[in-house]
Amino acid sequence: MILLTGGAGYIGSHMLLKLLESNHKVVVLDNLLNSSYESIKRVEALSNKQCIFVEGNIRDSECLNSIFNKYNIDAVLHFAGLKAVGESTEKPLLYFDNNISGSLQLLMSMQKYSVKKIVFSSSATVYGDPDELPISEECPMSMPTNPYGYTKMAVEQMLMQVVESDPTWSVATLRYFNPVGAHDSGMIGEDPNGTPNNLLPYIAQVAVGKRDKLFVYGNDYATYDGTGIRDYIHVMDLVEGHLSALDYIVNNLGYHVWNLGTGSGHSVLDMVKAFEKASNTNIPYQIVEKRAGDIASCYADATKAHQQLNWFAQRSIEDMMEDTWRWQSKNPDGYTN
Ligand code: NAD
Ligand code: UD1
């Protein structure tokens, strides 16, 4: 049985669907801080399978212990966390408490019940502004400029040192590049609270008429059209990467790190054009000042995951746009309609 923390969230709900479809038994632990139980109901309807849902906090050791006590958990997929970069700079202690202390409680409970396999959702943010592109796992981590990034780096360090102290653990740290898109049913997808921070949810809300125009943060970066370049990866490819990583750590002890990206970069203006094409809409935009903390380009060297996990991202930019549009147009108000 798998414990999936954060399973009601954007990526976690797609992970839950993939796990249920692959005949895994799953306990989801989520406090619904940034999500809705509706996502779980939709995943259960899509898969025609049920999970065990526990509404609770990863910082609550009693809750964690009762889960490990009651269910025979083989491995943990750890998605729960807060992820808004801007909010993290305003409320760093909240982020340290939730993401670092929460992960610590989870690891202590796992140790207590001898559950020693974990897949952790990290981020390419741990590379900072890289010296070389594409970014391979060999690229050193650099001190993140915001508390959110710091929490990812801190949890990675914790996991590494746990394995050093006890080599019977198996840990997969997955560094996501830019997850986008939705399941192709249009039933589950990303439902951000308030104004979206990330590019694609913002574009999708312009397309559906919820926002007037996109603000493009800077057009004088050293890139082919001056706008920022990122490695956008379809959320279904991303969760398939987790299944491969899970298989790997079942058979290989130790600490493992993989980038999950496509290996290709696209500019902000490329994304606008591709979305317009997929949705047959017009996305008005205005160039504004650069956003603090942004970098010009970031894309993965994804060969390590290909070689070791036999995984690579298969879905195209067109798939990402069409699936985002299907989700957004069917659910203009996310899960609340
Ligand atoms: P999300 O906010 O949609 O999902 C996170 C889930 O965790 C939510 O359902 C939330 O309610 C839950 N949660 C938060 N704190 C909790 C706590 N203390 N106890 C129990 N549940 C808690 O975010 P997402 O986009 O699905 O991201 C999932 C993971 O992937 C996060 O760890 C995030 O930092 C990481 N990540 C995301 C991206 C991205 O672009 N979305 C990129 C890199 C890494
Ligand atoms: C952001 C976070 C990063 C996090 C990642 C995935 C910041 C500084 N970084 O990265 O820590 O891991 O999300 O969750 O917030 N853009 C616009 N207009 C918008 C939104 C974005 O022009 O309204 C541009 C950005 O400048 C960037 C690109 O679009 O060039 C992608 O932005 P975004 O989706 O926020 O992802 P990241 O910047 O990679």
Side-chain angles (χ1 to χ4, degrees):
M1 197 165 228
I2 304 291
L3 172 62
L4 172 60
T5 74
Y10 167 44
I11 305 172
S13 57
H14 291 80
M15 187 76 245
L16 176 62
L17 178 60
K18 200 79 216 170
L19 286 166
L20 292 177
E21 284 176 349
S22 311
N23 295 319
H24 284 282
K25 300 264 180 275
V26 187
V27 180
V28 171
L29 172 63
D30 199 304
N31 62 0
L32 303 179
L33 193 65
N34 193 37
S35 52
S36 147
Y37 185 65
E38 178 66 18
S39 65
I40 303 282
K41 287 203 269 184
R42 294 196 187 182
V43 167
E44 290 185 334
L46 274 170
S47 62
N48 205 18
K49 293 193 173 134
Q50 313 273 302
C51 68
I52 294 155
F53 181 76
V54 179
E55 184 171 346
N57 200 309
I58 54 166
R59 283 172 300 177
D60 177 352
S61 56
E62 269 179 36
C63 172
L64 288 167
N65 289 341
S66 73
I67 292 174
F68 287 111
N69 200 19
K70 187 161 175 195
Y71 304 105
N72 191 11
I73 306 290
D74 303 301
V76 178
L77 298 184
H78 178 32
F79 289 72
L82 295 172
K83 62 165 183 177
V85 173
E87 183 187 57
S88 80
T89 60
E90 286 153 26
K91 301 176 185 167
L93 297 178
L94 174 70
Y95 274 67
F96 300 154
D97 187 23
N98 199 74
N99 293 5
I100 302 179
S101 302
S103 300
L104 180 59
Q105 289 302 335
L106 176 64
L107 291 172
M108 292 202 302
S109 204
M110 288 175 68
Q111 175 153 282
K112 185 170 169 154
Y113 288 89
S114 282
V115 178
K116 296 186 177 180
K117 295 181 177 50
I118 181 168
V119 179
F120 172 58
S121 302
S122 190
S123 165
T125 196
V126 301
Y127 294 117
D129 195 352
D131 291 334
E132 271 178 36
L133 287 166
I135 307 171
S136 82
E137 293 83 352
E138 299 291 304
C139 176
M141 288 200 264
S142 100
M143 185 49 104
T145 54
N146 59 72
Y148 165 74
Y150 178 72
T151 67
K152 291 296 173 196
M153 189 164 138
V155 175
E156 286 202 17
Q157 295 282 353
M158 274 166 32
L159 289 167
M160 227 180 294
Q161 287 167 21
V162 166
V163 174
E164 256 172 40
S165 76
D166 177 355
T168 64
W169 279 74
S170 333
V171 175
T173 286
L174 301 181
R175 294 180 179 153
Y176 307 170
F177 281 67
N178 288 63
V180 295
H183 185 254
D184 64 9
S185 62
M187 293 282 288
I188 55 171
E190 186 167 12
D191 181 17
N193 260 334
T195 309
N197 299 308
N198 297 118
L199 179 65
L200 208 39
Y202 201 105
I203 294 180
Q205 291 197 3
V206 174
V208 86
K210 293 185 84 174
R211 309 205 175 260
D212 294 340
K213 59 183 167 188
L214 170 72
F215 297 101
V216 175
Y217 300 139
N219 68 346
D220 58 354
Y221 283 109
T223 62
Y224 51 81
D225 64 12
T227 66
I229 290 181
R230 298 288 184 277
D231 185 339
Y232 298 94
I233 173 169
H234 196 295
V235 65
M236 292 309 299
D237 280 326
L238 189 81
V239 300
E240 285 165 8
H242 287 67
L243 272 194
S244 306
L246 184 60
D247 277 352
Y248 190 94
I249 63 165
V250 166
N251 298 308
N252 297 273
L253 298 178
Y255 183 76
H256 311 278
V257 184
W258 291 285
N259 285 340
L260 294 185
T262 66
S264 302
H266 294 272
S267 74
V268 176
L269 297 182
D270 287 342
M271 297 298 277
V272 169
K273 277 186 221 121
F275 196 88
E276 286 182 329
K277 192 163 173 234
S279 62
N280 201 20
T281 59
N282 177 38
I283 308 293
Y285 66 84
Q286 181 186 341
I287 310 287
V288 295
E289 286 294 293
K290 287 177 179 161
R291 180 172 64 180
D294 269 1
I295 57 175
S297 297
C298 173
Y299 50 93
D301 177 339
T303 42
K304 187 178 176 201
H306 194 177
Q307 284 169 353
Q308 291 188 336
L309 302 179
N310 198 23
W311 168 91
F312 61 96
Q314 304 191 36
R315 294 164 180 85
S316 66
I317 283 283
E318 288 75 27
D319 296 328
M320 301 178 205
M321 300 301 170
E322 282 165 17
D323 293 337
T324 302
W325 178 235
R326 192 175 301 105
W327 155 253
Q328 185 70 58
S329 50
K330 276 187 163 185
N331 307 270
D333 297 314
Y335 288 115
T336 56
N337 59 345

